[in-house]
Amino acid sequence: MTNDRAGDEGRKDRAWPGGVRWEFGGARGHVSETLWRCDGLRAGRLYQRSLFGTRAEAEEFAGKMREMEPDQMFCVEAIKASAVWN
């Protein structure tokens, strides 16, 4: 989100949406009503959000990322597919 008003040039929100990388991975062709979301958080800020078709894929991804990025927290949760696209 940017604000084009004069005097607000230095106050752009850098965390959303440009700072978050969306990866749909295997969830791109998924047809179930449930998707699995894996959020990567550092110091309470969202750094990465990935979607998966199965819980096993999401947990495997989170496990690998925990090894590679020990300073981040990874949270896996079920969400309705309609919350992502309709």
Side-chain angles (χ1 to χ4, degrees):
M1 182 170 146
T2 60
N3 194 341
D4 294 329
R5 293 185 302 190
D8 288 341
E9 295 86 21
R11 292 193 283 167
K12 293 181 182 176
D13 186 357
R14 298 186 197 293
W16 185 260
V20 177
R21 192 174 85 204
W22 290 82
E23 294 181 13
F24 292 106
R28 180 175 288 133
H30 192 65
V31 293
S32 174
E33 291 184 20
T34 303
L35 293 175
W36 292 87
R37 178 172 63 192
C38 180
D39 289 345
L41 304 158
R42 181 181 293 137
R45 293 184 62 186
L46 179 64
Y47 274 83
Q48 180 175 355
R49 174 166 283 167
S50 302
L51 297 175
F52 298 91
T54 66
R55 182 180 185 147
E57 292 172 341
E59 292 289 351
E60 180 182 350
F61 175 78
K64 288 180 181 177
M65 291 303 294
R66 284 183 187 109
E67 291 175 14
M68 295 174 54
E69 298 281 344
D71 60 331
Q72 284 192 32
M73 293 180 58
F74 292 90
C75 174
V76 174
E77 65 180 322
I79 62 169
K80 290 186 177 187
S82 61
V84 179
W85 54 74
N86 47 6

